[in-house]
């Protein structure tokens, strides 16, 4: 099991477990955040591998208390409903994403930018539209869960000019909000593994090098990019 310890400034220990999950040729990263004071966990963007999730809960002696969704694409929400039903826990998604996607579930809770806590785990949602109209990143301690907004080497696809403008603003916001030592945990990563420091991303990710919206947008929407697939993201 791939576990990172994260310093969240509490007396207790919070850990991030990296779950690499595959379906056919696709590779996604889901993450479990553990609160060892209360023996509970939340999961980010669960998909495809129920066995791995249940095994991780068992191995770490934690109970699932909630499901954080960065956005509504199928490879990020696939197991949200079954997990919520099994563990009787909430599913969190931004109000904008719920409205745009029509995603529904009995346990679904729409959220805005207001932080909240699950035991020792303090969650700060950061609204980052662009890849989808209601995309959220989640800052927990020194770790940011970015879904398809920000990858280590890239950013999520944007379907049109307006969404690329939104993505530029979202990335600008992250540049201002994050500390260099913040760890980045994206929904996909084929280059360096998840958990790189933001300082590395800032230096090496081409999408973070633009300082005006129009240049960013021209590059993001350049020809040869697949605008249709949910799963194509470089
Ligand atoms: Fe996506």
């Amino acid at each position: 099991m791939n576990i990172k310890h994260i310093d969240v400034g509490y007396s207790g220990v919070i850990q991030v477990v990296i779950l690499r999950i595959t379906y056919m040729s696709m590779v996604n990263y889901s993450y479990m955040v553990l609160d060892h004071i209360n023996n509970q966990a939340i999961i980010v963007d669960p998909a495809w591998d129920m066995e791995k999730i249940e095994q991780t809960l068992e191995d770490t002696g934690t109970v699932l208390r909630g499901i954080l969704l960065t956005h509504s694409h199928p490879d990020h929400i696939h197991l949200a409903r079954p997990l919520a039903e099994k563990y009787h826990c909430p599913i969190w998604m931004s109000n904008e994403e719920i409205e745009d996607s029509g995603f529904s579930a009995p346990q679904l809770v729409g959220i805005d930018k207001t932080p909240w806590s699950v035991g020792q785990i303090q969650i700060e949602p950061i609204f980052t539209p662009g890849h989808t109209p209601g995309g959220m990143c989640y800052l927990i301690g020194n770790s940011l869960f970015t879904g398809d907004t920000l990858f280590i080497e890239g950013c999520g696809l944007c379907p049109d000019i307006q969404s690329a403008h939104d993505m530029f603003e979202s990335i600008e916001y992250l540049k201002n909000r994050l500390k260099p030592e913040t760890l980045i945990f994206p929904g996909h990563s084929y280059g360096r593994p998840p958990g790189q420091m933001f300082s590395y991303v800032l230096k090496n990710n081409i999408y973070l090098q633009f300082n005006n919206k129009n240049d960013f947008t021209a590059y993001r929407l350049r020809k040869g990019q697949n605008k249709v697939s949910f799963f194509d993201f470089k």
Side-chain angles (χ1 to χ4, degrees):
M1 201 176 352
N2 195 345
I3 295 188
K4 275 205 182 260
H5 291 253
I6 62 173
D7 171 14
V8 292
Y10 307 123
S11 53
V13 174
I14 304 286
Q15 289 180 311
V16 176
V17 180
I18 300 171
L19 300 173
R20 185 178 185 275
I21 45 177
T22 59
Y23 177 70
M24 295 165 66
S25 62
M26 295 180 281
V27 180
N28 273 50
Y29 284 94
S30 173
Y31 302 96
M32 217 175 264
V33 182
L34 309 177
D35 162 6
H36 284 299
I37 301 293
N38 299 292
N39 296 325
Q40 55 190 28
I42 58 172
I43 192 164
V44 182
D45 289 355
W48 305 328
D49 199 335
M50 186 62 106
E51 208 183 312
K52 189 176 257 189
I53 293 167
E54 293 189 322
Q55 192 62 52
T56 305
L57 289 167
E58 200 182 309
D59 291 349
T60 58
T62 55
V63 175
L64 191 67
R65 293 286 188 223
I67 300 156
L68 282 174
L69 300 180
T70 59
H71 66 297
S72 59
H73 285 165
D75 57 326
H76 295 258
I77 64 168
H78 176 254
L79 288 178
R81 281 193 207 100
L83 279 170
E85 266 160 41
K86 182 158 186 185
Y87 293 95
H88 307 288
C89 65
I91 302 170
W92 297 291
M93 181 186 268
S94 80
N95 291 318
E96 291 84 352
E97 191 75 355
I98 292 169
E99 197 182 322
D100 179 72
S101 66
F103 178 74
S104 67
Q107 304 86 353
L108 183 60
V109 178
I111 55 166
D112 56 22
K113 298 171 193 167
T114 311
W116 78 99
S117 295
V118 180
Q120 294 286 304
I121 303 168
Q122 292 184 0
I123 305 159
E124 180 187 331
I126 300 179
F127 188 53
T128 51
H131 178 65
T132 59
M136 277 286 195
C137 293
Y138 298 101
L139 187 61
I140 299 175
N142 67 344
S143 295
L144 184 76
F145 301 90
T146 59
D148 289 355
T149 294
L150 180 66
F151 305 118
I152 306 298
E153 294 90 2
C155 77
L157 280 173
C158 300
D160 52 32
I161 290 172
Q162 183 55 53
S163 62
H165 285 178
D166 292 346
M167 178 65 92
F168 176 80
E169 298 295 349
S170 293
I171 288 174
E172 286 300 296
Y173 186 83
L174 291 177
K175 282 181 183 174
N176 290 322
R177 174 68 186 83
L178 301 181
K179 294 177 182 163
E181 61 271 24
T182 302
L183 303 178
I184 305 299
F185 293 98
H188 308 271
S189 198
Y190 286 114
R192 290 217 173 194
Q196 300 296 316
M197 280 192 188
F198 186 60
S199 56
Y200 176 86
V201 179
L202 204 50
K203 211 167 141 190
N204 293 283
N205 185 327
I206 191 167
Y207 291 92
L208 275 63
Q209 312 309 316
F210 294 93
N211 48 26
N212 87 72
K213 196 183 273 190
N214 292 333
D215 290 348
F216 174 90
T217 299
Y219 187 73
R220 179 62 287 184
L221 300 181
R222 70 195 184 278
K223 284 200 168 55
Q225 296 292 290
N226 185 343
K227 296 190 180 66
V228 179
S229 169
F230 297 131
F231 308 118
D232 198 358
F233 52 85
K234 280 260 178 169

